[in-house]
């Protein structure tokens, strides 16, 4: 079967927070599409990479064209479209009025259309990308599917938490939606992250600021290392185990004064962020412990939803030893919904789902012919290398000289992280390189740390933990004797968000790291996404060249070419 997962607004402007006439919520983020053919994952792409609109939530027509082109098929070939549901009323009104089906049938005349629960889509994105056959799952995010009353035109309940069990070989997929209005981890963190961010930056109403809406939580997670929760009455939740299903209630839900609403003006934004992060981590660990005790979760667990982009909390879960195996997909936020929905459609049709070896590198790989055409279009100076080894040796020497490198190789990443295919790279050692990268290129808040990319085999020499992360989903502690070597990427609390790589997962970046290790003695580079602040990660050679020309990058390394 030819199955298309598709997420995005149908015929409203999803990039506005509210409809200017009705004031109804219209914001949807992370639109995109996924193509499966006979269970084989052909590609996935986020619409923002193609429209160049950060978090674009509109109908993913460019993503559809992209997927069909890579799959070498036409709209008439699509047998099934799987559409994840949304958490805004206009979506359900359009489903009820048949507008969703009409729109899709105009483009795909031979297809069946299936709406898939938001949390089921999240869960499926983790289940069908994990390497264990049987286990449990938990989905946590800001809000998912609504139970919508089409007569009263309003919602009754909203998904915030879902557990379940799966056994792929036995075609078992059991979903247990949790009670509404509790376990609101995503909503809790986002609401108070906006308060903290406003206090820190003096930018008001960040929750509806269209340039900040979906990024504030990650910014505040980075700020939390500068604050302290120890000297405050920090606890802001309670765990209930009085009923069949354990749940967390934050104080705002049960009438007590919330620490942020009540006394936050007397705390620094740094301490506020530390308190918020502490509550999120502590409540999440208490919740998972209770779910495991009551056997809602097993030793094999899949975690999905935007909450699991919080690498500090992920690390705490990993180090708790509650579970033998934990899987979080690299597209755990809403960018992975269309992938999960497509996988669920394939599963329902008894197909064997087959993924690429690297779960994240599932976009297009551009040829040297395509790259060269764009270089000539922009009349750029470049050097061509017939040997990739030589290209990496030259690039490594530039990095050792503290040059900033735009790195464009391999298939593009799917998900919110740059994972060595569309990256900005720099020498990780001089402390000042953090500021240089930020002032010259990234223009981010000064408190935010940069990530690392490190060779698998050298990871234990630099970090304390006994586990690694292929998709940059955990935070690690830099060994004390290595902090000086990693001065530009060690955060103020001596942690580092690191991605581990090897030949099997990404041979190109692995070759570069080995060449850099040879010249510097260090198997690690600073790694941040190839984009300016507020822009999507580059997708195509044209995007990379335009960013190179508009940003203060020293060299662009793309395919067989180094551009200066």
């Amino acid at each position: 079967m030819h199955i298309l997962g598709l997420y995005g607004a149908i015929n409203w402007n999803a990039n506005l927070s509210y409809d200017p006439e009705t004031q109804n919520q219209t914001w949807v983020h992370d639109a995109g599409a996924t193509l499966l053919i006979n269970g084989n994952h052909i590609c996935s792409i986020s619409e923002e990479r193609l429209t160049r609109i950060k978090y674009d939530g509109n109908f993913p027509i460019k993503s559809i064209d992209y997927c069909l082109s890579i799959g070498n098929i036409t709209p008439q070939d699509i047998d099934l479209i799987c559409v994840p549901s949304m958490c805004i009323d206009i979506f359900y009104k359009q489903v009820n009025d048949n507008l969703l089906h009409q729109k899709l049938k105009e483009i795909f005349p031979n297809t069946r259309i299936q709406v898939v629960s938001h949390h089921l889509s999240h869960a499926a994105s983790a289940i069908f990308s994990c390497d264990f056959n049987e286990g449990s799952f938990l989905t946590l995010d800001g809000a998912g599917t609504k139970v919508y009353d089409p007569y009263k035109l309003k919602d009754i309940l909203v998904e915030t938490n879902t557990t379940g069990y799966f056994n792929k070989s036995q075609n078992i997929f059991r979903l247990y939606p949790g009670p509404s209005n509790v376990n609101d981890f995503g909503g809790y963190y986002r609401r108070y992250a906006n308060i903290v961010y406003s206090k820190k930056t003096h930018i008001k109403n960040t929750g509806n600021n269209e340039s900040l809406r979906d990024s504030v939580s990650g910014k505040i997670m980075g700020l939390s290392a500068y604050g302290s929760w120890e000297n405050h009455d920090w606890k802001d939740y309670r765990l209930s185990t009085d009923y069949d299903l354990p749940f967390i209630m934050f104080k705002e839900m049960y009438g007590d004064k919330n620490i942020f609403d009540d006394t936050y003006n007397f705390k620094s934004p740094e301490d506020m962020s530390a308190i918020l992060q502490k509550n999120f981590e502590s409540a999440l660990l208490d919740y998972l412990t209770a779910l495991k005790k009551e056997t809602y979760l097993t030793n094999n667990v899949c975690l999905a939803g935007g909450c699991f982009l919080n690498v500090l909390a992920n690390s705490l879960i990993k180090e708790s030893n509650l579970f033998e195996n934990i899987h979080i997909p690299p597209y755990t936020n809403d960018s992975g919904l269309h992938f999960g929905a497509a996988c669920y459609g394939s599963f329902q049709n008894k197909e064997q789902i087959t993924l690429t070896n690297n779960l994240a590198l599932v976009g297009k790989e551009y040829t040297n012919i395509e790259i060269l055409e764009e270089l000539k279009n922009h009349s750029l100076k470049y050097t061509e290398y017939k040997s990739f080894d030589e290209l990496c040796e030259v690039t490594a020497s530039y990095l050792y000289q503290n040059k900033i490198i735009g790195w464009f190789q391999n298939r593009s990443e799917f998900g919110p992280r740059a994972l060595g295919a569309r990256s900005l790279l720099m020498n990780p050692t001089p402390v000042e390189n953090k500021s240089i990268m930020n002032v010259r290129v990234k223009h981010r808040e000064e408190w935010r740390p940069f990530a690392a990319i490190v060779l698998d085999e050298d990871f234990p020499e630099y970090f304390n933990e006994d586990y690694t992360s292929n998709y940059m989903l955990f935070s690690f502690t830099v060994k004390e004797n290595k902090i000086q070597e990693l001065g530009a990427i060690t955060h103020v609390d001596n942690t580092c968000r690191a991605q581990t790589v090897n030949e099997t997962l990404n041979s190109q970046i692995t070759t570069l790291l080995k060449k850099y290790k040879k010249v510097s003695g260090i198997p690690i580079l600073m790694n941040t996404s190839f984009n300016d602040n507020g822009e999507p990660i580059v997708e195509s050679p044209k995007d990379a060249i335009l960013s190179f020309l508009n940003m203060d990058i020293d060299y662009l390394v793309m395919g067989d070419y180094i551009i200066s």
Side-chain angles (χ1 to χ4, degrees), residues 525-549:
L525 288 167
M526 178 196 292
N527 174 33
T528 187
S529 54
F530 194 164
N531 63 293
D532 202 344
N533 188 29
E535 294 182 351
I537 300 173
V538 301
E539 164 61 26
S540 67
K542 181 179 179 180
D543 298 335
I545 289 169
L546 291 176
S547 292
F548 173 68
L549 293 173

Side-chain angles (χ1 to χ4, degrees), residues 413-467:
E413 299 100 337
F414 173 47
R417 309 285 193 218
L419 299 171
R422 307 288 187 271
S423 290
L424 295 173
L425 306 172
M426 200 177 185
N427 183 338
T429 301
V431 173
E432 60 270 21
N433 279 1
K434 176 189 174 184
S435 295
I436 291 170
M437 175 69 85
N438 201 32
V439 171
R440 281 180 50 186
V441 180
K442 293 295 287 187
H443 311 116
R444 309 190 312 177
E445 295 83 359
E446 73 282 355
W447 68 78
R448 293 170 63 189
F450 287 109
I453 190 163
V454 52
L455 290 172
D456 246 341
E457 62 264 29
D458 293 307
F459 178 88
E461 183 182 346
Y462 285 83
F463 300 96
N464 288 330
E465 287 74 14
D466 60 358
Y467 59 93

Side-chain angles (χ1 to χ4, degrees), residues 88-105:
I88 57 174
D89 292 352
I90 190 171
F91 173 79
Y92 300 93
K93 186 175 188 308
Q94 292 199 348
V95 171
N96 189 59
D97 293 345
N98 210 37
L99 294 177
L100 171 70
H101 285 65
Q102 288 176 13
K103 169 88 172 183
L104 295 179
K105 278 289 190 178

Side-chain angles (χ1 to χ4, degrees), residues 252-311:
E252 60 182 352
M253 297 304 301
Y254 60 89
D256 285 18
K257 287 185 177 180
N258 180 278
I259 58 174
F260 297 101
D261 289 338
D262 186 31
T263 62
Y264 75 85
N265 281 320
F266 300 102
K267 302 182 180 75
S268 70
E270 290 78 11
D271 282 359
M272 289 168 64
S273 62
I275 292 167
L276 177 59
Q277 181 66 31
K278 175 64 176 176
N279 273 287
F280 183 81
E281 292 175 359
S282 182
L284 184 56
L285 193 59
D286 284 352
Y287 179 49
L288 289 169
T289 301
L291 287 173
K292 179 76 183 303
K293 181 180 179 181
E294 298 298 327
T295 69
Y296 287 99
L297 297 179
T298 63
N299 279 326
N300 292 340
V301 67
C302 290
L303 304 173
C307 287
F308 298 106
L309 283 178
N310 192 305
V311 297

Side-chain angles (χ1 to χ4, degrees), residues 321-342:
N321 294 317
L322 273 172
F323 309 102
E324 291 179 9
N325 296 296
I326 297 173
H327 175 69
I328 306 170
Y331 24 77
T332 189
N333 63 343
D334 281 6
S335 68
L337 286 169
H338 48 85
F339 167 78

